[in-house]
Amino acid sequence: MSEIRITGGCQCGAVRYALLEQPDNPHICHCRMCQKAFGSFFAPLTGVPPESFKVTRGSLSTFRSSDPVERGFCRDCGTPLTIHTIGSNRISVSIGSLDEPEKIEPTRQYGIEGRLSWFGRLPSLPGDKTTEEESPDETARIAASNHQHPDHDTSEWPPPGMGA
Ligand SMILES: [Zn+2]
Ligand SMILES: [Zn+2]
């Protein structure tokens, strides 16, 4: 096995995983099942063979969205993590759950029959940074109460003294 180790996990940190090879076919899927499962306009996905996907903390909960398709998620926080077609030589992971999603740029769209009509207009919407809507005090308060797992593996989570 190669030295590649790309990590990711859910928002609360109960489930962490590693990819042991460079994932391929990064894409977004607009199909209605992916919209529903992600609570979003599309699902951002990339994949590896099952033997190169390892859960390194906790365990996946699964939902069969159709007979052949199993969707993995964190039962504690609900983050969508994987999609696996039973019997296929591939498991897809959600790009947003990777620790470094910036490195995985989608190259294709699937399920475009489900693509929402205004999808192409999103990048031209007016934009604000998160902090522009909050006062500095409010921003600091929110940061201090953050329960999201950091974007790297941890030896212990949640850290001692930080209640859930
Ligand atoms: Zn979680
Ligand atoms: Zn889909």
Side-chain angles (χ1 to χ4, degrees):
M1 194 62 71
S2 67
E3 297 295 308
I4 291 175
R5 185 179 174 89
I6 295 169
T7 55
C10 68
Q11 185 171 28
C12 80
V15 181
R16 296 282 301 165
Y17 65 81
L19 308 181
L20 305 182
E21 65 183 89
Q22 186 67 31
D24 67 4
N25 191 30
H27 67 273
I28 60 176
C29 183
H30 297 276
C31 86
R32 184 60 187 141
M33 282 208 178
C34 284
Q35 288 176 350
K36 198 74 169 178
F38 281 71
S40 188
F41 315 135
F42 59 85
L45 299 164
T46 188
V48 294
E51 63 269 22
S52 291
F53 172 82
K54 298 284 181 239
V55 174
T56 56
R57 177 187 288 160
S59 60
L60 290 171
S61 291
T62 57
F63 173 66
R64 286 278 184 103
S65 58
S66 62
D67 283 350
V69 175
E70 190 171 76
R71 292 175 184 266
F73 60 95
C74 172
R75 76 176 62 82
D76 292 340
C77 70
T79 303
L81 296 169
T82 63
I83 301 178
H84 177 59
T85 300
I86 308 300
S88 77
N89 190 36
R90 184 179 178 82
I91 186 164
S92 294
V93 301
S94 52
I95 295 175
S97 72
L98 292 167
D99 290 334
E100 298 182 290
E102 178 73 34
K103 291 186 174 174
I104 310 292
E105 182 178 357
T107 56
R108 197 164 175 83
Q109 304 180 70
Y110 290 107
I112 58 171
E113 73 285 350
R115 189 168 56 196
L116 297 174
S117 62
W118 37 257
F119 177 75
R121 295 199 291 274
L122 294 175
S124 59
L125 295 175
D128 296 299
K129 290 182 179 175
T130 305
T131 50
E132 288 174 8
E133 297 191 352
E134 317 285 355
S135 68
D137 283 356
E138 181 71 357
T139 302
R141 191 185 66 77
I142 290 170
S145 67
N146 177 19
H147 295 280
Q148 178 164 300
H149 188 276
D151 283 332
H152 54 77
D153 282 337
T154 51
S155 55
E156 191 177 2
W157 189 262
M162 180 179 148

